[in-house]
Amino acid sequence: MAHRRGDTGKQREARRLHDDDRPAPTGPIIDERLRLIFTCAHPALAMEARVALTLRMLGGLTVREIASAFLVQETTMAQRISRAKAKIKAAGIPYRLPSAGDLPTRVSGVLAASSLSSTRAIWRRAGTRTPYGGT
């Protein structure tokens, strides 16, 4: 955004807030966590497994907390997560960002895990117990 001669501070600020200039391209996304999220959200996995695996691998939740969120036994959730990892390995699911055409089948799992993870963080910041067993 170019500064115009004679602009006041308020005019520059208003122009900054309503800047229509396109941002400079940033290039490819180089974030290992993003690759891992989309690997965990592969449609070959059941939705529950996608969300549970993402929460475990990236959200920092314990198996106990995830099991509580899903209203299942801790051993059941541990087995579900283990089976999901094994399926990723056995199926040769690539550790990469999906193509634009594959995004629609992956986004729902990513959003569900993100929502649960965000809810947990909000409860934690408030200093209260989460509805699914953690602080």
Coordinates of all heavy atoms in Angstrom, one line a residue, residues 1-42:
M1 N 0.9 -1.2 0.0 CA 0.0 0.0 0.0 C 0.9 1.2 0.0 O 1.7 1.4 0.9 CB -0.9 0.0 1.2 CG -1.7 1.2 1.4 SD -2.8 1.2 2.9 CE -1.6 1.4 4.1
A2 N 0.7 2.1 -0.9 CA 1.5 3.3 -1.1 C 0.9 4.4 -0.2 O -0.3 4.5 0.0 CB 1.5 3.7 -2.5
H3 N 1.8 5.2 0.4 CA 1.3 6.4 1.1 C 1.1 7.5 0.2 O 1.9 7.7 -0.8 CB 2.4 6.8 2.2 CG 2.5 5.8 3.3 ND1 1.7 5.7 4.3 CD2 3.4 4.8 3.5 CE1 2.0 4.8 5.1 NE2 3.1 4.2 4.6
R4 N 0.1 8.2 0.4 CA -0.2 9.4 -0.4 C 0.2 10.7 0.3 O 0.1 10.8 1.5 CB -1.7 9.5 -0.7 CG -2.2 8.3 -1.6 CD -3.6 8.4 -1.9 NE -4.0 7.2 -2.6 CZ -5.2 6.9 -2.9 NH1 -6.2 7.7 -2.6 NH2 -5.5 5.8 -3.5
R5 N 0.7 11.6 -0.5 CA 1.2 12.8 0.0 C 0.1 13.6 0.6 O -1.0 13.7 0.1 CB 1.9 13.6 -1.1 CG 2.6 14.8 -0.6 CD 3.3 15.4 -1.8 NE 4.4 16.3 -1.3 CZ 5.3 16.8 -1.9 NH1 5.4 16.5 -3.2 NH2 6.2 17.6 -1.4
G6 N 0.3 14.1 1.8 CA -0.7 14.9 2.5 C -1.7 14.1 3.3 O -2.6 14.7 3.9
D7 N -1.6 12.8 3.3 CA -2.5 11.9 4.1 C -2.3 12.2 5.6 O -1.2 12.4 6.0 CB -2.3 10.4 3.9 CG -3.1 9.9 2.7 OD1 -3.8 10.6 2.1 OD2 -2.9 8.7 2.4
T8 N -3.4 12.2 6.3 CA -3.3 12.3 7.8 C -3.1 10.8 8.3 O -3.3 9.9 7.5 CB -4.5 12.9 8.4 OG1 -5.6 12.0 8.2 CG2 -4.8 14.3 7.9
G9 N -2.8 10.7 9.5 CA -2.6 9.3 10.1 C -3.9 8.6 10.0 O -3.9 7.4 9.7
K10 N -5.1 9.2 10.2 CA -6.4 8.6 10.1 C -6.7 8.1 8.7 O -7.2 7.0 8.5 CB -7.5 9.5 10.6 CG -7.5 9.6 12.1 CD -8.7 10.5 12.6 CE -8.7 10.6 14.1 NZ -9.8 11.4 14.5
Q11 N -6.3 8.9 7.7 CA -6.5 8.5 6.3 C -5.6 7.3 6.0 O -6.1 6.4 5.3 CB -6.2 9.7 5.4 CG -7.2 10.8 5.5 CD -6.8 12.1 4.8 OE1 -5.6 12.4 4.7 NE2 -7.7 12.8 4.2
R12 N -4.4 7.3 6.4 CA -3.5 6.2 6.1 C -4.1 4.9 6.8 O -4.1 3.8 6.2 CB -2.1 6.4 6.6 CG -1.3 7.2 5.7 CD 0.2 7.3 6.1 NE 0.5 7.8 7.4 CZ 0.6 9.1 7.6 NH1 0.6 10.0 6.7 NH2 0.9 9.5 8.9
E13 N -4.5 5.1 8.0 CA -5.1 3.9 8.8 C -6.4 3.4 8.1 O -6.5 2.2 7.9 CB -5.4 4.3 10.2 CG -6.0 3.2 11.0 CD -5.0 2.0 11.3 OE1 -3.8 2.2 11.1 OE2 -5.5 1.0 11.7
A14 N -7.2 4.3 7.6 CA -8.4 3.9 6.9 C -8.1 3.2 5.6 O -8.7 2.2 5.2 CB -9.3 5.1 6.6
R15 N -7.1 3.7 4.9 CA -6.6 3.1 3.6 C -6.0 1.7 3.9 O -6.2 0.7 3.2 CB -5.6 4.0 2.9 CG -5.7 3.8 1.4 CD -4.8 4.7 0.6 NE -4.6 6.1 1.0 CZ -5.5 7.1 1.0 NH1 -6.8 6.8 0.7 NH2 -5.2 8.3 1.4
R16 N -5.3 1.6 5.0 CA -4.7 0.3 5.4 C -5.8 -0.8 5.7 O -5.7 -1.9 5.3 CB -3.8 0.4 6.6 CG -3.0 -0.9 7.0 CD -2.2 -0.7 8.3 NE -3.1 -0.6 9.4 CZ -3.7 -1.6 10.0 NH1 -3.7 -2.8 9.6 NH2 -4.4 -1.3 11.1
L17 N -6.8 -0.3 6.4 CA -7.9 -1.3 6.8 C -8.7 -1.7 5.5 O -9.3 -2.8 5.6 CB -8.8 -0.6 7.8 CG -8.2 -0.4 9.2 CD1 -9.2 0.4 10.0 CD2 -7.9 -1.7 9.8
H18 N -8.7 -0.9 4.5 CA -9.5 -1.2 3.3 C -8.6 -1.4 2.1 O -9.0 -1.1 1.0 CB -10.5 -0.1 3.1 CG -11.5 0.0 4.2 ND1 -12.5 -0.9 4.4 CD2 -11.6 0.9 5.2 CE1 -13.2 -0.5 5.5 NE2 -12.6 0.6 6.0
D19 N -7.4 -2.0 2.3 CA -6.5 -2.2 1.3 C -7.0 -3.3 0.3 O -7.3 -4.4 0.7 CB -5.1 -2.6 1.9 CG -4.0 -2.8 0.9 OD1 -4.2 -2.3 -0.3 OD2 -3.0 -3.3 1.2
D20 N -7.0 -3.0 -1.0 CA -7.5 -3.9 -2.0 C -6.3 -4.6 -2.7 O -6.5 -5.4 -3.6 CB -8.4 -3.3 -3.0 CG -9.8 -2.9 -2.4 OD1 -10.2 -3.6 -1.4 OD2 -10.4 -1.9 -2.8
D21 N -5.1 -4.2 -2.3 CA -3.9 -4.8 -3.0 C -3.9 -6.3 -2.7 O -4.2 -6.8 -1.5 CB -2.6 -4.2 -2.5 CG -2.5 -2.8 -2.9 OD1 -3.2 -2.4 -3.9 OD2 -1.6 -2.0 -2.4
R22 N -3.5 -7.1 -3.7 CA -3.4 -8.5 -3.4 C -2.2 -8.8 -2.6 O -1.1 -8.2 -2.9 CB -3.3 -9.3 -4.8 CG -4.7 -9.3 -5.5 CD -4.5 -10.0 -6.8 NE -5.8 -10.2 -7.4 CZ -6.5 -11.3 -7.5 NH1 -5.9 -12.4 -7.0 NH2 -7.6 -11.4 -8.0
P23 N -2.2 -9.8 -1.7 CA -1.0 -10.1 -1.0 C 0.0 -10.8 -1.9 O -0.4 -11.5 -2.8 CB -1.5 -11.0 0.1 CG -2.8 -11.6 -0.4 CD -3.4 -10.5 -1.3
A24 N 1.3 -10.7 -1.5 CA 2.3 -11.4 -2.3 C 2.1 -12.9 -2.1 O 1.8 -13.3 -1.0 CB 3.7 -10.9 -1.8
P25 N 2.3 -13.7 -3.1 CA 2.2 -15.1 -3.0 C 3.3 -15.6 -2.0 O 4.4 -15.2 -2.0 CB 2.4 -15.7 -4.4 CG 3.0 -14.6 -5.2 CD 2.7 -13.3 -4.5
T26 N 2.9 -16.6 -1.2 CA 3.8 -17.1 -0.2 C 4.4 -18.4 -0.6 O 5.3 -18.9 0.1 CB 3.0 -17.4 1.2 OG1 2.0 -18.3 0.9 CG2 2.5 -16.1 1.7
G27 N 4.0 -19.0 -1.7 CA 4.6 -20.2 -2.1 C 3.9 -21.4 -1.5 O 2.9 -21.3 -0.9
P28 N 4.5 -22.6 -1.7 CA 3.9 -23.8 -1.1 C 3.8 -23.8 0.4 O 4.7 -23.2 1.0 CB 4.7 -24.9 -1.7 CG 6.0 -24.3 -2.0 CD 5.7 -22.9 -2.3
I29 N 2.9 -24.5 0.9 CA 2.8 -24.6 2.4 C 3.8 -25.6 2.8 O 3.8 -26.8 2.4 CB 1.4 -25.0 2.8 CG1 0.3 -24.0 2.3 CG2 1.3 -25.3 4.3 CD1 -1.1 -24.4 2.5
I30 N 4.7 -25.2 3.7 CA 5.7 -26.1 4.2 C 5.4 -26.2 5.7 O 6.0 -25.5 6.5 CB 7.1 -25.6 3.9 CG1 7.3 -25.4 2.4 CG2 8.1 -26.5 4.5 CD1 8.6 -24.8 2.0
D31 N 4.6 -27.1 6.1 CA 4.2 -27.3 7.5 C 3.9 -28.7 7.7 O 2.9 -29.3 7.2 CB 3.0 -26.4 7.8 CG 2.6 -26.5 9.3 OD1 3.1 -27.3 10.0 OD2 1.8 -25.6 9.7
E32 N 4.8 -29.4 8.4 CA 4.6 -30.8 8.7 C 3.3 -31.2 9.4 O 2.8 -32.2 9.2 CB 5.8 -31.4 9.5 CG 7.2 -31.2 8.7 CD 7.2 -32.0 7.4 OE1 6.8 -33.2 7.4 OE2 7.6 -31.4 6.4
R33 N 2.9 -30.3 10.3 CA 1.7 -30.5 11.0 C 0.5 -30.6 10.1 O -0.4 -31.4 10.3 CB 1.5 -29.5 12.1 CG 2.5 -29.6 13.2 CD 2.4 -28.4 14.1 NE 2.7 -27.2 13.3 CZ 2.8 -26.0 13.7 NH1 2.5 -25.7 15.0 NH2 3.1 -25.0 12.9
L34 N 0.5 -29.7 9.1 CA -0.6 -29.7 8.1 C -0.7 -31.0 7.3 O -1.7 -31.6 7.1 CB -0.5 -28.5 7.2 CG -1.7 -28.1 6.4 CD1 -3.0 -27.9 7.3 CD2 -1.5 -26.9 5.6
R35 N 0.5 -31.5 6.9 CA 0.6 -32.8 6.3 C 0.0 -33.9 7.2 O -0.7 -34.8 6.7 CB 2.0 -33.1 5.9 CG 2.5 -32.4 4.6 CD 3.9 -33.0 4.3 NE 4.5 -32.2 3.2 CZ 5.2 -31.1 3.4 NH1 5.3 -30.5 4.5 NH2 5.8 -30.5 2.3
L36 N 0.4 -33.9 8.4 CA 0.0 -34.9 9.4 C -1.5 -34.8 9.6 O -2.2 -35.8 9.6 CB 0.7 -34.7 10.7 CG 0.5 -35.8 11.8 CD1 0.7 -37.2 11.2 CD2 1.3 -35.5 13.0
I37 N -2.1 -33.6 9.7 CA -3.5 -33.4 9.9 C -4.3 -34.1 8.7 O -5.2 -34.8 8.9 CB -3.9 -31.9 10.0 CG1 -3.5 -31.4 11.3 CG2 -5.4 -31.8 9.8 CD1 -3.6 -29.9 11.4
F38 N -3.8 -33.8 7.5 CA -4.5 -34.3 6.3 C -4.3 -35.8 6.1 O -5.1 -36.5 5.6 CB -4.2 -33.5 5.1 CG -5.0 -32.3 5.0 CD1 -4.4 -31.0 5.3 CD2 -6.4 -32.3 4.7 CE1 -5.2 -29.9 5.2 CE2 -7.1 -31.2 4.6 CZ -6.6 -30.0 4.9
T39 N -3.1 -36.3 6.6 CA -2.9 -37.8 6.6 C -3.9 -38.4 7.6 O -4.5 -39.5 7.2 CB -1.5 -38.1 7.0 OG1 -0.6 -37.5 6.0 CG2 -1.2 -39.6 7.0
C40 N -4.0 -37.9 8.7 CA -5.0 -38.4 9.7 C -6.4 -38.3 9.2 O -7.3 -39.1 9.7 CB -4.9 -37.6 11.1 SG -3.3 -37.9 11.9
A41 N -6.7 -37.4 8.4 CA -8.1 -37.1 7.9 C -8.4 -37.8 6.6 O -9.3 -37.5 5.9 CB -8.3 -35.6 7.8
H42 N -7.6 -38.9 6.3 CA -7.8 -39.6 5.0 C -9.2 -40.3 5.0 O -9.5 -40.9 6.0 CB -6.7 -40.6 4.8 CG -6.6 -41.0 3.4 ND1 -7.4 -42.0 2.9 CD2 -5.8 -40.6 2.3 CE1 -7.1 -42.2 1.6 NE2 -6.2 -41.4 1.3

